[in-house]
Amino acid sequence: MTSPNLYTAEAVATGGRAGHTRSSDGRLDLGLSVPASIGGDDGPGTNPEQLFAAGYAACFQGALGVIARRQKLELPQESTITARVGLQKSGLSFALDVELEGHFPGVGREQAEALMQAAHEVCPYSVATRGNVDVRLSVRE
């Protein structure tokens, strides 16, 4: 038996990649555009890969905070997570490719890598993509 949801987000999209998306509460209300690299007009809107990257980066940063608190560590205020989400052709379908790059000023590489790996174990995005999406972790000095 699964646990009840702690929170449920809802968004509606119309017009596909060149359309529009809006959350049910109106906090997210965005036009979508197709990047030129995949045959689009590279218009002013965002795209699903950018939205996924933004969500994954924020979620992963939150997971790092959970891990740091469990380990009684204090992450630097300037720490960042950069998510790069690639769209790939995979036979007749498409696939995603993700790189998560952590930057932790003042934290040693070994500790930073251990934090990244621990966060990857608990982040809901990492759990959801595990075994299905190539996710690489890296640390920037």
Side-chain angles (χ1 to χ4, degrees):
M1 183 167 153
T2 60
S3 299
N5 289 337
L6 298 174
Y7 170 75
T8 300
E10 180 180 300
V12 175
T14 57
R17 285 183 164 272
H20 191 268
T21 190
R22 183 178 190 281
S23 62
S24 58
D25 63 7
R27 292 178 183 183
L28 180 76
D29 193 347
L30 300 169
L32 303 171
S33 297
V34 180
S37 64
I38 59 172
D41 66 358
D42 216 17
T46 189
N47 61 65
E49 291 73 33
Q50 287 178 331
L51 293 169
F52 189 74
Y56 204 158
C59 188
F60 201 86
Q61 183 80 43
L64 280 162
V66 168
I67 295 302
R69 283 189 297 281
R70 286 180 183 171
Q71 296 181 8
K72 301 199 184 328
L73 299 171
E74 193 165 324
L75 289 176
Q77 288 281 91
E78 309 82 32
S79 70
T80 60
I81 294 296
T82 300
R84 295 178 185 93
V85 175
L87 179 65
Q88 303 173 335
K89 186 85 166 122
S90 178
L92 296 176
S93 63
F94 296 90
L96 296 176
D97 171 79
V98 176
E99 178 188 359
L100 298 172
E101 179 185 77
H103 178 59
F104 310 97
V107 176
R109 176 172 283 283
E110 191 172 301
Q111 184 178 29
E113 288 173 349
L115 286 166
M116 291 284 289
Q117 191 58 51
H120 191 49
E121 293 302 313
V122 300
C123 172
Y125 278 60
S126 293
V127 171
T129 58
R130 188 164 292 122
N132 188 41
V133 174
D134 182 22
V135 177
R136 293 171 314 285
L137 306 177
S138 65
V139 172
R140 178 170 57 92
E141 299 282 334

